[in-house]
Amino acid sequence: MVILRKLSQDHSDALLVMKLYLKTFPSRERIDLSVLFERMPATLLGIYTDKDALCFAGFFIVIEEESIVHLQYFAICPEMRSTDIDSQALQALMQMYGGRPLMVTYENICHPDDHPDRRDYRRTFYLKNGFHECPWYALYGDTQYGLASSAEKVNDVVIGHLLHLYQSFNTNFYTHTR
C-alpha cells in the first residue's frame, strides 16, 4: 500500500528527500529546491509504503495550477525500485488530483553523460501507467523534453496554462509543436 503525504521543507524526512534528489538526478537537471518552493506553487509529497510505520520510499515534487498539475520531480529509493511501488505511487498521485491533467516531461535528446536505456525506460514507464504523449515538446535551456499527460487529449489551452505557469515565474521553459 502506498501513502502520499504533503511535507514541509523542514519536515524530518526532508533530508531523505534531498539525499535521494542528489543521488537520482544529474546535476544539469537539478535546481535549488528552496528557490523552486519560493518561486513556484510547488508541493512536496513523500511516498510511504507502510500505513503504520510510514517507511519512506521516495518523493514527488509537483507544480500545481488550477487546471493542471506538472510532475516536476519523481524519485523512488534505489532499494525499492525493483518493486511495483513506482507505478502504485504514480496511480495514487493521479487519484489525488482527480480530474486535473497531470503533465510530465521526459528526455528526448541523449546527452553524452546520459544512458539511453534509462531515458527510454522513463518514457515507457509513463506511457504504460496511463500517460499519453502530447504533440508538443519542451525546452529547458538546450535540452529537449517530450511531454505526456494523464489526460488522453490535451488541448492548446492546457499547454498554454503550463507555459504561462513557468514563464510567470521567469523560468527557462518553452513549448513547441512537433
Side-chain angles (χ1 to χ4, degrees):
M1 173 180 214
V2 170
I3 296 143
L4 302 181
R5 291 183 56 193
K6 287 187 179 182
L7 303 177
S8 65
Q9 289 184 55
D10 58 352
H11 188 276
S12 59
D13 286 345
L15 183 58
L16 295 173
V17 168
M18 185 52 74
K19 285 181 182 178
L20 183 57
Y21 176 71
L22 293 172
K23 188 181 214 178
T24 303
F25 297 98
S27 60
R28 67 177 169 68
E29 292 181 15
R30 286 187 238 138
I31 56 177
D32 183 336
L33 292 182
S34 61
V35 172
L36 173 71
F37 287 106
E38 287 172 11
R39 295 175 71 184
M40 302 285 278
T43 301
L44 173 61
L45 298 166
I47 302 168
Y48 297 89
T49 60
D50 187 332
K51 184 179 178 182
D52 300 320
L54 289 181
C55 178
F56 180 79
F59 70 90
F60 290 112
I61 297 177
V62 296
I63 310 296
E64 299 181 59
E65 206 261 351
E66 65 185 50
S67 61
I68 62 167
V69 178
H70 185 257
L71 176 50
Q72 182 75 29
Y73 291 106
F74 173 25
I76 296 292
C77 295
E79 62 275 9
M80 297 186 177
R81 288 183 188 153
S82 62
T83 67
D84 192 36
I85 193 148
D86 52 356
S87 291
Q88 292 175 36
L90 190 57
Q91 295 304 315
L93 185 68
M94 290 165 73
Q95 287 178 354
M96 176 183 236
Y97 287 105
R100 285 194 279 178
L102 190 63
M103 302 291 296
V104 66
T105 55
Y106 52 85
E107 304 91 327
N108 274 348
I109 294 176
C110 184
H111 282 74
D113 60 337
D114 281 346
H115 300 279
D117 55 328
R118 288 186 198 163
R119 190 182 72 238
D120 189 53
Y121 171 81
R122 285 188 280 271
R123 180 186 160 276
T124 302
F125 169 77
Y126 288 111
L127 296 180
K128 85 171 188 177
N129 279 285
F131 280 73
H132 308 274
E133 286 187 292
C134 296
W136 296 274
Y137 64 91
L139 289 174
Y140 290 107
D142 64 348
T143 304
Q144 182 179 334
Y145 292 84
L147 288 166
S149 172
S150 60
E152 192 166 342
K153 296 205 183 229
V154 176
N155 61 31
D156 291 337
V157 174
V158 172
I159 291 298
H161 281 288
L162 181 64
L163 183 59
H164 179 266
L165 175 68
Y166 275 87
Q167 290 180 341
S168 67
F169 291 96
N170 299 318
T171 57
N172 185 15
F173 179 88
Y174 303 96
T175 59
H176 302 274
T177 304
R178 292 179 196 225

